[in-house]
Amino acid sequence: HKILGSTPTLALLDAIDDEYSGSRRSGLLTQNFEYKNVPFWVEHIAPQELRKWASDLRTWNVKPEDVQSRKHVLSNLSVLPREINEKSHYKKYSEKRQIALDSVDSMGTKLQDWTANDQWTPLMIDERTTEMIDKLIKRWPDPSS
């Protein structure tokens, strides 16, 4: 499978966020958006390196390989302002969640829905995948259907 770069991934997350909001706003990206000045960075919710999550995974009774196999799926990604992303990078889930919660109100994006959970399990990632795919299909329906 191919991993998208941050720019196309951010565009997909922006489209999903637009669908969550009912397209009542312009989304994460403004019309005058320049990618070199990106206000948000794509962040893995479950990090690419799970070392600091080992105790969380044991507590949640989750196998590391089950999270690892989902690390690059769209639903394991979120967007965070650059400074928040830098603070939360590779933190334990509870720490990452709290950092995001402290900034979520000012961000106003449904993409931070993961912060409502006190854990981040493969089942939650899979459920979010289904929801996000539904949003993308609504945004770009198959004209042949």
Side-chain angles (χ1 to χ4, degrees):
H1 69 290
K2 185 175 190 304
I3 297 173
L4 293 176
S6 61
T7 300
T9 301
L10 185 59
L12 283 173
L13 291 169
D14 182 49
I16 292 167
D17 191 53
D18 266 358
E19 287 303 316
Y20 275 131
S21 70
S23 298
R24 290 184 299 271
R25 60 181 190 75
S26 62
L28 301 169
L29 311 179
T30 64
Q31 289 181 335
N32 299 324
F33 180 78
E34 295 181 32
Y35 284 101
K36 66 182 178 187
N37 298 322
V38 64
F40 295 99
W41 285 9
V42 175
E43 171 68 1
H44 286 80
I45 299 167
Q48 297 180 65
E49 166 52 54
L50 291 172
R51 186 173 27 92
K52 290 192 177 179
W53 277 41
S55 64
D56 286 337
L57 297 177
R58 279 191 303 277
T59 300
W60 305 334
N61 198 26
V62 170
K63 296 176 188 169
E65 58 270 19
D66 290 342
V67 175
Q68 193 70 22
S69 68
R70 292 164 174 85
K71 70 180 172 186
H72 293 305
V73 299
L74 192 60
S75 59
N76 186 50
L77 302 174
S78 191
V79 292
L80 293 173
R82 181 182 54 81
E83 64 277 1
I84 302 302
N85 184 300
E86 289 172 347
K87 285 182 193 175
S88 66
H89 202 58
Y90 291 114
K91 298 279 189 201
K92 288 177 40 175
Y93 181 76
S94 60
E95 295 168 345
K96 178 180 276 196
R97 178 178 176 242
Q98 191 58 54
I99 291 167
L101 281 171
D102 289 345
S103 68
V104 164
D105 289 340
S106 63
M107 292 173 54
T109 174
K110 177 79 164 83
L111 291 173
Q112 302 313 332
D113 60 348
W114 61 273
T115 61
N117 303 307
D118 60 358
Q119 54 185 335
W120 191 241
T121 66
L123 178 60
M124 292 172 168
I125 295 170
D126 293 347
E127 289 171 348
R128 192 170 188 240
T129 295
T130 300
E131 187 176 319
M132 290 177 125
I133 288 171
D134 288 346
K135 294 296 181 191
L136 289 172
I137 290 170
K138 183 178 176 190
R139 176 76 171 216
W140 293 299
D142 182 353
S144 65
S145 308

